[in-house]
Amino acid sequence: LAGPRLLPLLQRFLTGKDLFVCEEAKEQFERVLSIAAGPSERARASELLAKVQVVPGEFSERVHRLPEIGKVKRFQKLVFGTGDVLRAVTLTTNAAFVRVARANGVPFDVYVHPCRWLTGM
């Protein structure tokens, strides 16, 4: 089953919030868009990115407690560390990282949403 439409869920969550993205996550997002997104997806991505403040990625004190093994990679530590430093809720599909971090005593303030593939539209 496809599940609920994701865009309305995300719009409700994001409304009224200051939006940030670390440089590294923005670059990865743009790489994925350049490979798999169609014109409509690129247009929506441009609208979203126009509302987002790009900040340097930072490793938080807490994220340094996590060993870089399995689902815990340097990139994920940078993304979640940036949210931690900003004291922001991190919007993610990476439930595996969130579970591993929590199991290691490092819970993050997150909103985990369902993953959706780009459709080329």
Side-chain angles (χ1 to χ4, degrees):
L1 299 200
R5 289 187 40 128
L6 184 57
L7 186 58
L9 295 174
L10 294 180
Q11 287 171 328
R12 276 194 300 275
F13 176 75
L14 296 174
T15 297
K17 292 182 173 60
D18 293 326
L19 306 178
F20 300 92
V21 65
C22 70
E23 294 168 347
E24 297 80 1
K26 179 181 179 273
E27 290 167 3
Q28 181 180 3
F29 180 62
E30 289 174 332
R31 277 193 300 276
V32 170
L33 289 172
S34 72
I35 295 167
S40 297
E41 290 162 330
R42 286 190 182 119
R44 284 193 304 273
S46 291
E47 288 175 21
L48 173 63
L49 290 174
K51 299 174 186 175
V52 173
Q53 179 181 344
V54 180
V55 298
E58 293 186 60
F59 293 98
S60 68
E61 171 90 22
R62 293 175 350 108
V63 84
H64 281 299
R65 295 185 214 157
L66 299 171
E68 290 183 18
I69 56 171
K71 297 292 182 184
V72 179
K73 304 286 189 225
R74 184 179 189 283
F75 177 78
Q76 285 79 19
K77 288 174 69 171
L78 184 63
V79 170
F80 285 87
T82 302
D84 200 31
V85 167
L86 294 172
R87 296 184 175 163
V89 177
T90 299
L91 181 68
T92 184
T93 63
N94 195 342
F97 178 91
V98 173
R99 279 191 307 273
V100 169
R102 187 177 305 124
N104 280 276
V106 186
F108 290 98
D109 195 3
V110 296
Y111 178 90
V112 179
H113 67 84
C115 184
R116 296 291 190 267
W117 293 99
L118 295 175
T119 62
M121 298 189 70

